[in-house]
Amino acid sequence: MSDLLEVEGLTAGYHGVPVLHGIDLRVPAGTICAVLGANGAGKTTLLRALSGLIRPSTGRIAFDGADLGDLATERLVRRGIGHVPEGRGVIAELTVEENLMLGGAWRLGWAGVWGAARAGLRRDVAEVYQLFPPLAARRRQPGHQLSGGERQMLALGRALVGRPRLLLLDEPSLGLAPRVVAQTMALLRQLCEQTRLTVLLVEQNVRSALSIADQGVVMSLGRVVAAGDARRLADDADLRHAYLGF
Amino acid sequence: MDRFLFLTVDGLTHGAVYSAFALALVLIWRGTRIVNFAQGVLAVATSYLAYTVTGRSGSYWLGFLAALLAGLVLGAVVERLVMHRVAGAPPLNAVIVALGLVLVVQGVLGMIYGNQYLPFPAPFDRSAMTVGGVPLVSRFDLFVFGTVVLLMIVLALLFTRTAIGLRMRAAAFAPSVARLLGVRVGRMLTLGWALAALVGALAGMLVIPTGLGLHPTAMDTVFVSAFTAVVVGGLDSPAGAVVGGMLVGLVLSYVAGYLGAGTAPLAVLALLVVVLLVRPAGLFSGPQARRV
Amino acid sequence: MTGWLHSCRRTSVPTLARHLIGVAVAAVALLGLTYVLDPFHDYQLATAAAYLCAAAGLTVLIGQNGQLSLGHGALMAVGAYTLAMVQNQFGDHGVIAQWTVVVSLAAGVVTATLAGTVIGLAAARLRGPYLAGLTLVVAIALPAVTTVFSGVFHGDQGMSVFLPPVPDQLGVDFPMERWQAWLAVAAALLTLLALANLVRGRFGRSMRAIRDNEVAASVAGIPVARVQVVAFVVSAACAGLGGGMFAVLAQSVSPDAFTLTLSLNLLLAVVVGGSGSLAGAVWGSLLLVLLRYWADQLTGGLALSAGLRTRLAGNLPLAVFGLLLIVVMMAAPGGVQGLLSRAGRWVGGRLIRRPSHRAEVPAPDAEPPAPVVSHS
Ligand SMILES: Nc1ncnc2c1ncn2[C@@H]1O[C@H](COP(=O)(O)OP(=O)(O)OP(=O)(O)O)[C@@H](O)[C@H]1O
Ligand SMILES: [Mg+2]
């Protein structure tokens, strides 16, 4: 089976100061890969490099067999890479529905008032409402009126509307009630199995992340210090003690 | 009383144009945090083009169309060639570059057309029709109203009902998030400038026939009025710009009508100072105080 | 409470001496130059000096304090009209003496200061585009005063200015232009001297602190609003002096000499020279005069129809100024002075092989950087 995402020797950073030092990573299609590590380990930076928000200085990123080179973020979205950033990125001035529509707006042409594409988008948005009923009740409210958990649902739902093949999630459980965390994780698992969605899941919530992930990588100071089967990582007492703290 | 009615109608007509012009300023401000000080001269440039096209072809409407198209193109070119490059710089830089553009356009227009006032035609009769024995509103006034109302409906539909409008708003409010959602933010900003210049060009076509004629500085006072309108309404608020424009139009019409035409610029200044001192964030701003 | 104003005098005594010597040298050199130049070029020198009075004040306001004013052309009009009216009063009452010019220039500075205080107070809370917009409205609205009160200001026609003749002691064929150049150069040098001391002192540091970070400045105890207003008023006074000199040079005043274009020309002088730098204001003011002169030479040298020539005459410099403003802003936001000091540092670094970390230290004479210079 070929890997949907292949990262080799990725080095990237901010203002010429490297934060990532030669990251190698392979994620097969339809699986979940948990990215773990302490604060400042470089997890967010890795996701930002993958979605083109920062330019890697060296290394190779291949998606679905094709080299991504230095494609701009908006092009990567069209290739099927969705990114739910740290802090969720709900647009405060737009309503819930507009935020969701925006997730798939790139599929519409210039006008996008009529036509099949818009109908398809409407269906996708309706599906999100089914997944997250609280959003349906607030569809006309502006983003800044949502609670933290609702924002998280909106951000995730918005990314799904874009029909990504690879979803980059930066701490989706942050601020969510334990029950909602469990639901979200279960949902991700379900999506992977049903639609062959591939997920790169950055999490501090190590236990629940590893419980749904197929594999995991542990980062420290911009390097991958451990990688492998999720169950094995969870059972590795030394690793847990040194990096994961539970 | 008749005079008051007349001045009210006149004020609303001019106010409609100020509203449109102010909307264009808001459009660019929301997208780029730049007050486009060059908007007046861009509108003058497109009006000169209309003058030439109308003169050559004999058709007013061909000139009208040419002005609108030229506005669209000019706005995009200015954004791509100039404003785009100062986007990341300190905000004063963008202001200074826009002012440089004012000099360039005025200089070039002066070289081509000279610095005398050129007669600029109105497509409809400008003499007031009498309603119930009172001379009230001219056909041209009605044309101005109709056009501005149509423009506002089109803009509202564009921004709230179309995917492109949604993308433009997203690019303006949260460029980095918009990019993550596949919005080509750079293109949206270019489009915003193009649209704004188109609206400006339209406003120019509507207001220049009511003034002294076509001149490189013909839109200076209109710009000043529209700027006052957006300050009254709040730079971020399209609705505020429309109301502010109407308000400024009325105030100027009454002042000019009762105190003499020459006092109008001073009235704008007074109005602006009062608003800035009393409600610096605009009359229609939300509760959160904005840094001005 | 006024300690921050006092101590600027205390700290700058050695610098004051240095500035005085500089001004004296410049005065002697320029005095000599006026004898070398023919009357036409003397007049151009005088014009540049008059621009310099206003541009120097504006560069301090924009570059050191971060306030962009487009109203300084209008403030020059205030100075010019005041001078005209006071001078004409002297003339009407038969008072013909050189000191009258000093008195009426001072009057022009006072009225411009008052006008600047009003605008400065209204603008004290405004930043960025709001301030630029307000002052733009001032620039466009103020000429209307001359038509509204045309009984006093004679509307669009303006009025001529009575001036005492060249002093007899200078000889019978001493050209008026040379005398005007002396006056203008004296005014400009005094302005530069005053501003240089202001900028070096504590007040200058307060201005720059506010420009760089207003919140931090106010936390550090700098009275932000007061410094902003005083900075505006100081630059308004300079504009008043420059406007008065304009009236002395043209021997007439009219509203079309003080349009928005004048304000934009001043802005060009500031930006092209390198905003915040007094030396830059000198380059910029010279450039304003020279560019116009070169444009005239150019259009005069070509075989053009009379109509085309008049169209080019006023407008070619305008377009070139605008283009220059844009190009400088995009390519060299530090202006001429920024390029010069960079070149100077480069040459200095070559000649004296300093350790590399010392090369980072700006030359003692380099002006502090201006906000419109740096890319954030
Ligand atoms: N915009 C930035 N500019 C400069 N340095 C940055 C920037 N963002 C992050 N860094 C630095 O990069 C390193 C990695 O940051 P990153 O955000 O990738 O960590 P993280 O693993 O996501 O941490 P957390 O779990 O706290 O979110 C940190 O040392 C941080 O200081
Ligand atoms: Mg992070």
Side-chain angles (χ1 to χ4, degrees):
Chain A
M1 190 173 64
S2 82
D3 296 327
L4 184 71
L5 178 71
E6 295 167 53
V7 178
E8 276 170 25
L10 179 71
T11 307
Y14 303 94
H15 316 295
V17 183
V19 169
L20 302 178
H21 309 276
I23 300 281
D24 295 313
L25 186 68
R26 292 175 157 267
V27 186
T31 66
I32 298 180
C33 175
V35 179
L36 310 170
N39 293 132
K43 307 179 295 293
T44 298
T45 308
L46 172 63
L47 295 199
R48 300 177 121 249
L50 292 178
S51 65
L53 288 176
I54 56 175
R55 296 254 156 272
S57 40
T58 57
R60 193 179 81 99
I61 303 172
F63 179 69
D64 200 10
D67 215 334
L68 291 186
D70 43 32
L71 285 181
T73 305
E74 47 267 40
R75 306 285 296 272
L76 295 175
V77 173
R78 285 164 174 73
R79 293 272 181 106
I81 297 181
H83 184 171
V84 179
E86 206 170 29
R88 306 177 183 110
V90 166
I91 299 182
E93 293 89 346
L94 301 183
T95 65
V96 168
E97 178 128 329
E98 285 170 337
N99 265 291
L100 287 174
M101 295 287 277
L102 188 62
W106 60 268
R107 278 188 272 133
L108 307 185
W110 275 87
V113 198
W114 304 278
R118 190 174 178 88
L121 184 56
R122 288 229 167 265
R123 267 198 304 281
D124 292 349
V125 170
E127 267 177 40
V128 170
Y129 286 143
Q130 273 181 357
L131 287 176
F132 303 110
L135 292 183
R138 309 202 180 288
R139 59 175 75 188
R140 303 245 170 274
Q141 286 184 13
H144 65 82
Q145 289 180 3
L146 298 185
S147 78
E150 287 162 349
R151 278 172 211 223
Q152 193 63 66
M153 296 177 205
L154 178 54
L156 187 57
R158 187 176 62 184
L160 292 176
V161 170
R163 293 188 193 159
R165 287 193 288 157
L166 172 67
L167 190 54
L168 310 172
L169 294 178
D170 205 338
E171 308 202 18
S173 73
L174 198 72
L176 290 185
R179 212 164 57 89
V180 186
V181 174
Q183 278 173 0
T184 311
M185 296 294 170
L187 171 70
L188 287 176
R189 189 73 244 171
Q190 193 190 343
L191 285 169
C192 287
E193 269 146 29
Q194 288 173 356
T195 66
R196 282 183 67 71
L197 175 71
T198 310
V199 180
L200 206 57
L201 176 65
V202 169
E203 261 302 336
Q204 294 293 352
N205 209 331
V206 177
R207 246 187 264 262
S208 41
L210 286 179
S211 73
I212 59 150
D214 299 284
Q215 54 161 333
V217 296
V218 180
M219 290 179 65
S220 177
L221 301 175
R223 291 191 167 81
V224 173
V225 290
D229 185 68
R231 182 104 15 90
R232 196 182 60 70
L233 286 181
D235 293 341
D236 186 331
D238 290 346
L239 192 69
R240 278 197 339 224
H241 193 70
Y243 295 109
L244 305 178
F246 72 94
Chain B
M1 197 58 212
D2 290 1
R3 181 149 179 77
F4 180 77
L5 262 182
F6 173 79
L7 290 176
T8 306
V9 171
D10 187 59
L12 289 175
T13 315
H14 275 93
V17 179
Y18 299 155
S19 297
F21 212 66
L23 263 183
L25 284 176
V26 170
L27 206 64
I28 290 180
W29 172 259
R30 291 222 297 191
T32 57
R33 299 281 131 179
I34 291 173
V35 172
N36 181 14
F37 281 94
Q39 190 165 289
V41 284
L42 294 184
V44 172
T46 55
S47 300
Y48 268 108
L49 183 73
Y51 174 86
T52 302
V53 171
T54 300
R56 293 271 164 82
S57 69
S59 157
Y60 172 86
W61 296 108
L62 213 57
F64 191 83
L65 202 67
L68 299 195
L69 282 179
L72 212 54
V73 174
L74 206 56
V77 168
V78 163
E79 199 275 339
R80 279 284 102 189
L81 237 53
V82 187
M83 302 316 292
H84 180 70
R85 288 161 204 263
V86 285
L92 281 192
N93 292 26
V95 174
I96 292 174
V97 165
L99 292 168
L101 219 53
V102 169
L103 288 177
V104 171
V105 176
Q106 284 187 351
V108 169
L109 289 176
M111 283 191 269
I112 301 173
Y113 294 97
N115 284 62
Q116 70 281 28
Y117 282 91
L118 299 175
F120 198 75
F124 297 101
D125 192 0
R126 285 199 56 220
S127 56
M129 300 181 289
T130 45
V131 179
V134 182
L136 200 59
V137 60
S138 70
R139 282 177 207 283
F140 181 70
D141 290 342
L142 292 177
F143 169 66
V144 170
F145 273 126
T147 312
V148 172
V149 168
L150 191 70
L151 171 79
M152 282 171 188
I153 292 174
V154 168
L155 283 181
L157 286 179
L158 175 75
F159 280 105
T160 58
R161 292 276 184 271
T162 69
I164 196 83
L166 182 60
R167 275 181 266 180
M168 286 177 73
R169 279 193 295 154
F173 292 135
S176 53
V177 176
R179 201 163 280 134
L180 276 180
L181 297 171
V183 177
R184 293 186 167 117
V185 174
R187 265 191 219 180
M188 293 303 120
L189 296 186
T190 309
L191 187 63
W193 275 80
L195 260 183
L198 168 95
V199 173
L202 181 65
M205 295 301 292
L206 297 180
V207 77
I208 290 178
T210 67
L212 292 172
L214 199 48
H215 187 269
T217 62
M219 291 295 277
D220 280 7
T221 52
V222 178
F223 176 85
V224 158
S225 306
F227 177 78
T228 307
V230 286
V231 172
V232 169
L235 266 172
D236 268 308
S237 157
V242 173
V243 179
M246 289 296 181
L247 217 66
V248 171
L250 283 176
V251 169
L252 289 195
S253 178
Y254 295 140
V255 169
Y258 290 121
L259 301 179
T263 53
L266 296 175
V268 180
L269 179 59
L271 184 64
L272 184 62
V273 168
V274 169
V275 172
L276 285 175
L277 292 184
V278 179
R279 274 298 308 251
L283 299 181
F284 305 95
S285 59
Q288 80 276 31
R290 195 152 32 76
R291 220 180 96 101
V292 289
Chain C
M1 206 58 231
T2 49
W4 56 278
L5 249 181
H6 280 174
S7 64
C8 80
R9 233 172 286 151
R10 225 182 310 139
T11 54
S12 57
V13 173
T15 2
L16 177 64
R18 206 155 48 83
H19 289 157
L20 275 174
I21 294 169
V23 163
V25 171
V28 171
L30 287 169
L31 197 73
L33 183 65
T34 57
Y35 280 99
V36 178
L37 298 177
D38 60 46
F40 175 77
H41 288 99
D42 270 338
Y43 191 79
Q44 290 204 310
L45 177 66
T47 311
Y51 272 124
L52 179 54
C53 294
L58 190 60
T59 203
V60 169
L61 185 68
I62 295 177
Q64 306 259 336
N65 194 216
Q67 300 193 70
L68 178 55
S69 166
L70 306 177
H72 272 51
L75 289 168
M76 288 181 81
V78 171
Y81 270 84
T82 308
L83 178 124
M85 285 157 66
V86 174
Q87 259 325 111
N88 288 350
Q89 283 298 318
F90 281 127
D92 291 348
H93 291 87
V95 186
I96 302 169
Q98 296 305 331
W99 58 263
T100 59
V101 179
V102 178
V103 169
S104 45
L105 276 173
V109 171
V110 169
T111 48
T113 306
L114 290 178
T117 310
V118 175
I119 303 171
L121 283 173
R125 292 194 291 156
L126 304 180
R127 302 292 175 265
Y130 285 90
L131 178 62
L134 173 66
T135 50
L136 173 77
V137 178
V138 169
I140 289 179
L142 218 60
V145 171
T146 59
T147 39
V148 173
F149 303 101
S150 57
V152 189
F153 301 111
H154 303 279
D156 285 341
Q157 287 175 323
M159 46 190 165
S160 58
V161 176
F162 167 80
L163 273 190
V166 180
D168 296 334
Q169 300 89 315
L170 293 171
V172 266
D173 38 312
F174 193 88
M176 182 65 178
E177 288 83 355
R178 190 176 297 155
W179 176 237
Q180 286 171 319
W182 286 15
L183 290 175
V185 164
L189 287 179
L190 283 176
T191 309
L192 287 179
L193 181 65
L195 288 174
N197 280 305
L198 193 72
V199 165
R200 283 273 164 263
R202 185 160 168 188
F203 184 74
R205 280 201 297 282
S206 298
M207 283 197 299
R208 291 189 288 278
I210 293 169
R211 170 197 75 190
D212 294 337
N213 188 338
E214 212 180 302
V215 178
S218 82
V219 169
I222 296 172
V224 172
R226 184 146 31 119
V227 173
Q228 300 279 91
V229 174
V230 172
F232 199 96
V233 170
V234 166
S235 74
C238 299
L241 183 61
M245 280 322 305
F246 261 35
V248 168
L249 296 188
Q251 299 183 40
S252 70
V253 287
S254 68
D256 59 0
F258 301 97
T259 56
L260 175 64
T261 310
L262 175 60
S263 293
L264 295 184
N265 282 347
L266 291 178
L267 181 66
L268 174 80
V270 167
V271 168
V272 169
S275 90
S277 147
L278 291 174
V282 176
W283 303 128
S285 306
L286 282 174
L287 199 71
L288 279 186
V289 175
L290 286 178
L291 272 180
R292 221 175 247 123
Y293 175 66
W294 287 331
D296 281 349
Q297 295 279 300
L298 184 73
T299 50
L302 300 173
L304 301 171
S305 70
L308 185 58
R309 186 165 301 160
T310 46
R311 268 183 283 146
L312 286 184
N315 290 307
L316 184 62
L318 214 61
V320 173
F321 286 176
L323 209 58
L324 211 58
L325 207 49
I326 296 171
V327 169
V328 168
M329 224 50 232
M330 294 201 298
V336 173
Q337 195 57 30
L339 293 178
L340 280 182
S341 53
R342 236 194 296 166
R345 243 169 293 165
W346 185 80
V347 171
R350 282 281 161 125
L351 294 181
I352 317 154
R353 288 185 165 272
R354 279 186 270 185
S356 62
H357 67 273
R358 292 233 4 227
E360 298 292 311
V361 180
D365 237 24
E367 295 289 337
V372 281
V373 168
S374 55
H375 281 256
S376 56

